[in-house]
Amino acid sequence: MAVVLETSLSSIITNKRRVSALKSLGITTVRDLLTHYPFRVAKPYPVHALSFAKVGEPMAAVVQVRHVRVIRGSGRSPNRVEAIVEDVPHDDMPYDDVAHKDMPYGGSGIANDAPYNDVSHNDGSIANDSNGMHQTMLFDNVGSARLVFFSRNRGYTDWMAKRLQVDTQLVIAGTPTEFNNQLQFTHPDIIVTRYAHGATAEADSPAQALARLARPRPVYHANARISSEHIHDVIMNALQLLAQTSPEYGAGTTDATAGDADAITGNADTGAGKANVSVGKENAGAGNGDTSIGNTDTGVGKMNSSAESEYVDVATAAITGKSQPDAKSLNLAEPRITAANLAYALPDIIPEQIRQKEGLMHRAQAYLAMHNPDSREQFMQALATLRFEEALIAQTALISAREHSKQDSAWQCGNADADDVYCNLVHACIDSLPFALTQGQQNVIDTIVHDMANTHPMQRLLQGEVGSGKTIIALLAMLQAVGCGYQAVLVAPTQVLAEQHAHSIREMLARMQSGLQQRSELNQQSELNQQANPTQPTVSGRIPVTLLTGSLKLTQRRRALAQAASGEPCIIVATHAAFSQHFQAPNLALVVIDEQHRFGVQQREVLRNLNEHAPHMLVMTATPIPRTAAMTWFGDLDISWLTELPGGRKPITTVVVPEADGATMGRMFAHIRARIDAGERAYIICPRIDTGIDGELDAGIAELDTASVGQRAHPEHGSGRTLRPIQLGSDEIAEDAAGIGLGSDSEDGQDAHSQLPPMHAVFEIAERLQALPQFQGIPFATLTGRDDDETKTRVMQEFAAGQKPVLVATTVIEVGIDVPQASCIVIFDADRFGLSQLHQLRGRVGRGGTKSWAFMVSRAPADSPAEGRLRVIHDSNDGFEIAQADLEFRGAGDVLGDVQSGGQSSLKLLRVVKDAAIIRQARGYAEQLIAQDPQLRDATQLAGAVLDFMRGNEQYLTSS
């Protein structure tokens, strides 16, 4: 069977446990596997004898087992395997396989600190070197150390004990420590080079095992079911299978890594390490520039002399399990796994002229260098290539979608050439407002109305600060559609918000009725529009505002659906019910999506494809998105920004309150009681609904942030469970991932998470606060995502009316709730929320012109990342500044929400903050390509990648 990128792993791997383990990481196809990139490369281990080990400095050594024992755990104590190992005697070193006989392990290419006989102590004690570093000395001229492995899994300890039998020779790699005055390695990497009982070893020789560890080692996100090393093995086997699809497969090539660039680019030798070495010869000079087939190892196995002239299809056997290959047969350093052979299965996506101009790798070469690099420099070059490829695909897809939308037809709402494109309804509404529009609002509505006057659909994203007046912009846009004889729909994410929108719109329309009555005729454009569309009725009198939600009674729902289906000019305010197949609006000219990140693209496309004419689309968000992120995720949209707050709004005072500070907590509650006695309202926000380990998190806590312990929280509809932290393999002694820029997971994230106190719950806090003397006689209300719509409506009405002036709630009140009397908000466990969500919650107060306060109650330790995030929210009221900081703290996926980040996204390397320059550069190339070749006929591979991106990553696109 020919293997391609879309081949399912279950069809080529017979080990179902391994398939299941990979699936738990979201890896189901060969494409998923190859794009499961290492998040860092580990530094090569320097090679020393144990005699010259230094505590705290990583190293590798060839050793022999002298003693082993298994200690069974009791109670909470884990099982333990201990082995005493010694340096392999000088005379036993396989000098036939090494290049330098004057070094203990000369095959590493890394000079040792001293020769074997340069010792000053023979008593086995720990001696200090001239720099004060501890150094383990010889036991009878042979260095010694203890290897320790812990596990509660008895099967693991039994397996490890079998590998560590007495007289077994192995290579160890790890960071030594000192315990009981003896050198100790805890959970080192080990490669068996000779079993005492003669079984097939894991490497052919110490030289081969050392060469494996002397190269930069990719480290992958893994879990308890599959290690980073095993993931690397499967990836290399998959690359081998892809290479086999090339017609040139096995045709005498001599490179086993990404170094042979000239085979696919026509360039001269890149110096990545070609050499004229016979196929069967082993050479351990990993540091001398040799990377030919005889001395290059991929981390899985290495070619031996018996395979010099005989073809053995071991890669297929290794990945399918049709045979049980031993360590020698797991030979991936064969002449067939070259960039040239891989180019057949992995053709270049970046057009050749762009790639040459930017000095980027071929795609096949980049994949090899990512997963099997010869050097850190080669890995970084591959990383830059694949980041640029992602940026180019995404930007080309966005620009292509933008151009494609211009070919659709839309209802023309107004005359773009007229001096005054506004219809009478818009003028009447503006005149009736009790406040003047800000200059920013005026500019935005001018732009929107002119867009709606075109014959192709508007595609616009409106970003606005909390309380910046986006709702009035949406109403004026809808009135422009209705005034021209069409329908408009406003879609809100929750029933509470939909009902509030409907109520406020009806109030504003009632105020403008007098102004509308003074204008007995529609403007000239509306008459022309009526002539051009004789089936559209003329607007006069009251404008219907129809509420459509899933909780309506059957008769009310039928009445609302009938109103929409009639085609008569009206405003429809709906929840997800607007995406139902029963919803029909034949003259729909405008769709307004409020809080766009709460909706999937597929849902928006339902309304877009409802009729022959595509509606104009206005999507709004109160979660500010930095400009670089907006260019990445919403590059197909025109973007408007509302940064100016309406007059009369006072800045909100933000106070961070340590929960352990009882005196400050008491003063805070006394202050809230004083504001309640003054006729104001207070919100109390908790992340959890119920107490207890199994208590539910509210569905609104999707952005709950546990980044301080190396975790990310994701929404689990109905439960909001927090995912376990990713567990990494045993090779965690490499350099910090930040140096490479791929991100990392906390090595002790699980331990840190277990130490976090449980989050506060709504009913727990409501009960505790009502018992405080500060709130004696004050009725409390509670509101969670678990309440039905009728209860939510009743609770909000009681709170707004002051019947219950304290509302204890989850983040269900995060957006859209407008109670002008609310002046105080207390957010418990504020250190566990994201910055953007805290800013949203803070925006629920300060809407009535009175002074307002936001209290962030925190249990974050001093100088922790969580405490740093709270400093940002304390020091700034600028939503865009906060969003930028949130993006840097947590990444685009968490800031924009799962719907926008996309768990199955092909954008796995691109960072919207740090890679802004790459994104801009790729956008410039994408614009040139689309302008010169809209169908990308001369860039077929890029066209295919764009199509795949748009099919599988619609969450990045607002239109398709």
Side-chain angles (χ1 to χ4, degrees), residues 632-668:
T632 304
W633 310 124
F634 304 104
D636 62 328
L637 299 178
D638 297 309
I639 303 177
S640 295
W641 313 78
L642 275 179
T643 57
E644 182 182 359
L645 293 178
R649 294 291 296 269
K650 295 182 179 179
I652 301 169
T653 301
T654 302
V655 182
V656 178
V657 181
E659 188 171 336
D661 187 346
T664 304
M665 292 285 288
R667 290 195 299 271
M668 175 186 73

Side-chain angles (χ1 to χ4, degrees), residues 816-881:
I817 302 300
D818 187 3
V819 178
Q821 299 87 352
S823 63
C824 295
I825 184 168
V826 178
I827 304 173
F828 279 94
D829 295 307
D831 52 299
R832 312 279 279 274
F833 290 82
L835 288 178
S836 292
Q837 193 173 32
L838 290 175
H839 185 60
Q840 284 288 316
L841 290 168
R842 179 170 61 180
R844 297 310 99 203
V845 298
R847 293 171 170 260
T850 59
K851 188 172 181 179
S852 300
W853 295 263
F855 299 97
M856 308 289 170
V857 180
S858 167
R859 290 181 279 186
D863 298 324
S864 66
E867 196 263 347
R869 293 198 303 275
L870 291 180
R871 267 200 306 271
V872 173
I873 201 77
H874 173 270
D875 295 341
S876 177
N877 281 301
D878 186 331
F880 289 95
E881 179 182 329

